[in-house]
Amino acid sequence: MTRLPAPTRRPRPPRRSEIPSSGHARRGSGTGSVLGAILDHGPVARSTVARLTGLSPASVTGHAAQLLSRGLIRESAETTGPRGLGRPHVPLEIDTSRYLVAGAHIAVAHSTVSLMDLRGRVVAEDRRPHLDTHPRRILDDLAARLPLLTAAHAAGRQVLALGFATGHRVDPAAGVVVEHPHLGWRSVPVREILSAATGLPVHVDSHSRALARAEQMFGEVSTRRSTVLLFIGAVVDGAFATSGELHRGPRSGAGSVAHLPLGSGGSGGSDDAEPCRCGRTGCLQSEVSERAMIRRAAARSLYVGTFQELLDHAMAGEPRAVELFRRRARLVGRAAALLLDMFDPECLVVVEPGAGRLPECLADLREEVGMRSWVCDDPERAVVPSSFTGSVLATAGGAVALAALYTDPLGPWPALPAVS
């Protein structure tokens, strides 16, 4: 493809603390908007919250009083302007001393239980391999591990809710994993099982949508307007949002990108093709999944037992491992270019450890996007790695619960005081 002259690089998007006005305010209820502004800017004065949200000072004062009564925010020390000038004010900030949320993520080979504070910081996590993949046994095991993790790490804070995330098709409204082919799960009532086992409110979603919401809450501010998130792991899927709202689809199938065609054999010809379970070759998942990476490593006489071992080799500079991750990055770049042209989002987030940890992989991915996308004229701005590299799975489950809390902080949260 003929390359156009490189465009002038645009300035980086603003970080959360630099948002100047209500133009980037969070959508949702008035109380949720106030809570989101405090998350972004706290400690922050009520007058500044009014400017950021577009609400009246009186409304902000009322919403803040409700959030204070629930223990979700607190008042900081009184401050004044420079050299004591100006009227004193009492800033508001998120209170991380009282409550946590729990998270559970189910991967193909293991599960992760985590605790997260109200600012989205992972407090503790416990990852263990599956003994088998029967849904009831996995879910019962998760429920049994949570009290132990809480006793060891909660430090007196109360758990408000449990968020659950996994790959493939998940119906958040019903609280059901519709289908997870790698685990052999179909129509598993996760919310019902975990609610009964833990006594907690349980919120369920796909890991891609959960991580997209985590970016909107705690990561790149550019994801607020529109974003595509591409998750590359043992499972390959995605999520997309417009005007800050995540799209799920009527069959909970939005983001099913595993079978995007990359061409015969990806980038290595038909003899190098990894067969896909759909019966074709050249599918995104069959070319870049963790299973495919381990197989390709073995074909190069680099024998590893797990994907993490292969990643460790690459981070240590082992040439064969590095080249495998660079190849993966180029193939992911092909898919990213297709998704950028399809949705034209403000930002595309790549959740892939090579792009997050190896600078050459992110550079290769962006270069591929630059060569192939018709609409993305600045890949360095538009294509970013996950904000949660190193804690992706621990973040995903907790983010499901935090998304529900920040959307409806005055809703029926049994552990919180009643709204007056």
Side-chain angles (χ1 to χ4, degrees):
M1 179 183 295
T2 301
R3 297 297 306 274
L4 296 175
T8 302
R9 183 177 297 178
R10 300 177 186 173
R12 65 169 176 81
R15 304 297 296 186
R16 296 195 309 277
S17 61
E18 301 169 348
I19 304 175
S21 68
S22 60
H24 295 280
R26 300 172 183 272
R27 295 168 63 95
S29 67
T31 310
S33 295
V34 169
L35 186 60
I38 296 169
L39 172 65
D40 283 346
H41 300 277
V44 60
R46 289 168 174 82
S47 58
T48 304
V49 173
R51 177 174 61 83
L52 291 165
T53 61
L55 297 171
S56 70
S59 293
V60 169
T61 297
H63 292 308
Q66 292 179 308
L67 293 170
L68 285 164
S69 71
R70 302 210 94 178
L72 299 176
I73 64 172
R74 62 188 173 194
E75 293 181 326
S76 301
E78 184 178 276
T79 64
T80 58
R83 298 183 181 179
L85 299 176
R87 184 175 180 178
H89 63 265
V90 180
L92 302 172
E93 62 182 344
I94 301 296
D95 190 345
T96 60
S97 67
R98 301 187 188 189
Y99 303 112
L100 300 169
V101 296
H105 179 271
I106 304 297
V108 172
H110 52 78
S111 62
T112 302
V113 181
S114 61
L115 296 174
M116 183 182 287
D117 72 16
L118 300 193
R119 291 197 63 84
R121 296 175 295 210
V122 175
V123 173
E125 64 176 289
D126 172 38
R127 182 178 301 180
R128 300 186 190 181
H130 300 318
L131 298 179
D132 65 49
T133 59
H134 188 281
R136 190 71 197 225
R137 282 189 280 274
I138 287 180
L139 296 175
D140 285 347
D141 175 65
L142 287 175
R145 288 155 55 191
L146 180 56
L148 301 176
L149 194 68
T150 302
H153 299 283
R157 290 172 285 187
Q158 188 170 3
V159 175
L160 293 178
L162 171 62
F164 174 94
T166 192
H168 292 292
R169 291 176 58 196
V170 180
D171 183 345
V176 169
V177 173
V178 179
E179 184 178 28
H180 196 306
H182 288 79
L183 294 174
W185 289 18
R186 289 184 66 87
S187 302
V188 178
V190 170
R191 177 185 296 148
E192 177 184 330
I193 293 171
L194 288 179
S195 294
T198 64
L200 293 170
V202 176
H203 302 271
V204 178
D205 210 338
S206 78
H207 58 204
S208 293
R209 289 193 292 263
L211 290 166
R213 286 290 287 123
E215 292 288 349
Q216 292 175 330
M217 290 187 290
F218 311 114
E220 288 285 337
V221 70
S222 58
T223 62
R224 299 279 179 81
R225 290 170 171 162
S226 61
T227 185
V228 169
L229 182 137
L230 188 55
F231 184 99
I232 307 295
V235 172
V236 175
D237 52 20
F240 65 95
T242 56
S243 302
E245 297 296 325
L246 286 161
H247 181 68
R248 295 184 174 90
R251 290 164 293 278
S252 304
S256 299
V257 299
H259 300 287
L260 280 179
L262 298 179
S264 178
S267 63
S270 58
D271 292 339
D272 197 35
E274 178 77 17
C276 183
R277 65 176 60 213
C278 72
R280 294 173 292 185
T281 58
C283 292
L284 175 62
Q285 179 161 284
S286 67
E287 289 293 332
V288 304
S289 70
E290 293 178 2
R291 174 181 176 274
M293 292 284 284
I294 292 172
R295 186 192 73 83
R296 290 185 183 280
R300 289 158 176 76
S301 300
L302 180 58
Y303 300 103
V304 295
T306 66
F307 177 80
Q308 183 61 49
E309 290 180 41
L310 182 60
L311 178 61
D312 291 342
H313 280 300
M315 292 179 64
E318 206 288 330
R320 292 166 295 179
V322 171
E323 180 49 39
L324 282 171
F325 275 93
R326 294 189 69 175
R327 175 187 183 276
R328 188 192 212 195
R330 292 189 290 271
L331 292 175
V332 172
R334 292 189 186 186
L338 289 171
L339 294 171
L340 284 162
D341 288 354
M342 185 179 298
F343 294 104
D344 191 19
E346 186 77 16
C347 179
L348 186 142
V349 179
V350 179
V351 183
E352 193 277 324
R357 296 175 184 268
L358 301 170
E360 58 268 45
C361 288
L362 182 59
D364 287 345
L365 196 159
R366 285 170 167 165
E367 182 180 14
E368 197 76 18
V369 167
M371 290 190 299
R372 293 178 177 274
S373 173
W374 292 94
V375 302
C376 179
D377 56 4
D378 188 358
E380 290 195 18
R381 177 194 63 82
V383 180
V384 299
S386 170
S387 300
F388 311 103
T389 298
S391 61
V392 165
L393 304 185
T395 297
V400 179
L402 284 180
L405 177 67
Y406 276 92
T407 298
D408 187 16
L410 302 185
W413 297 87
L416 295 179
V419 179
S420 58

